[in-house]
Amino acid sequence: MKQSDKILILGSKGMVGSAIVRNLQSDNFSNLLTPGRSELDLLSQKETLEYFMANKPDHVVLAAAKVGGIVANNTYRADYLIENLSIQNNVFEACFKADVDKLLFLGSSCIYPKNSEQPIREESLLTGPLEPTNEPYAIAKIAGLKLAENYKRQYGKNYMSVMPTNLFGENDYFHPEKSHVIPGLIARMDDAIKKDQDEFSIWGSGNPKREFLYVDDMAQACVTVLKHEGDLPYFLNVGTGEDISIKEVAQIIAKEMGFKGKLVFDTSKPDGMMRKLLDVSKIKALGWSPKIGFQEGIKKSIEFYYSTDNLRR
Ligand code: GDP
């Protein structure tokens, strides 16, 4: 891959896509295409194909997806399935027709069976039933990684996928109900502080454990994979290899934000998977490792939250 190559980043206004753009720019890749939704509607097959034919990117990063936290995934089940399938089908077809060289598809650690052995190795894929709360999203992501795998197997295409653990950081989506746990807790705790509440409710039992990766580390992993010239597995896990309970996450956020009240648990909300820690030995063997610690990442996220206006919340 040359620094002058034209790279199309889809989802460049979102948390992961924008971090990939920052990372590529700091690595002196300057020929970047970063269309927003108004310029390119990936739900339209026709528009997507026309954009690819007109712009002829050398490489593509597919970081555009409909994403959300556990309650959103469990509520808007059909929307998560059809929108993600449509986006990825349109993009894979367009990559093939426009003869794109490298395509990197971003999946998720929720593709793995609910009862996978921990830490979860790539080989666990399709060995058992999925966690029900985000099954539609997971099915779409499995279809995406299988598209990459099978374009490679049938046509020898340079398409591959990365499966990130739970991500957080700059440009996250801070919504009290619809977002993932870290931005959700930050948004809801800010509200509790403003209302001077003496109690704060954490969804679920607080016992599930999650592995969190700061988004700039994820972006670095994507660029490492894109730049890699040798053969690679069809997909690679990306994570820190360490996990933490949701209760501890809430305690750290409370401390950093200065919330002094009591933390209580709302067990009417789902726990989801009790644990989903990834085995990250394959991506680490490529020379990548995370740089931003959890506590540092939380501080950066809170700082980002307070630096943005209400539009992103
Ligand atoms: P998941 O990894 O797909 O389950 O995604 P989430 O980030 O949405 O949720 C992770 C865990 O955090 C689940 O056990 C949630 O029940 C728990 N949780 C606790 N409080 C919150 C909150 O305010 N928002 C979200 N999204 N999850 C929360």
Side-chain angles (χ1 to χ4, degrees), residues 69-70 134 166 179-181 188 202-203 208 210 246 270-271 276:
I70 190 165
N134 53 20
N166 291 43
S179 49
H180 285 109
V181 57
R188 293 197 299 107
I202 300 166
W203 296 358
R210 292 289 183 273
I246 297 302
D271 270 341
K276 49 175 171 179

Side-chain angles (χ1 to χ4, degrees), residues 4 18 48 51 72 79 87 101 110 117 159 164 212 215 264 308:
S4 58
S18 60
T48 306
Y51 183 93
D79 298 350
I87 291 170
D101 179 13
C110 69
E117 192 183 315
Y159 299 171
F212 295 99
V215 71
V264 297
T308 52

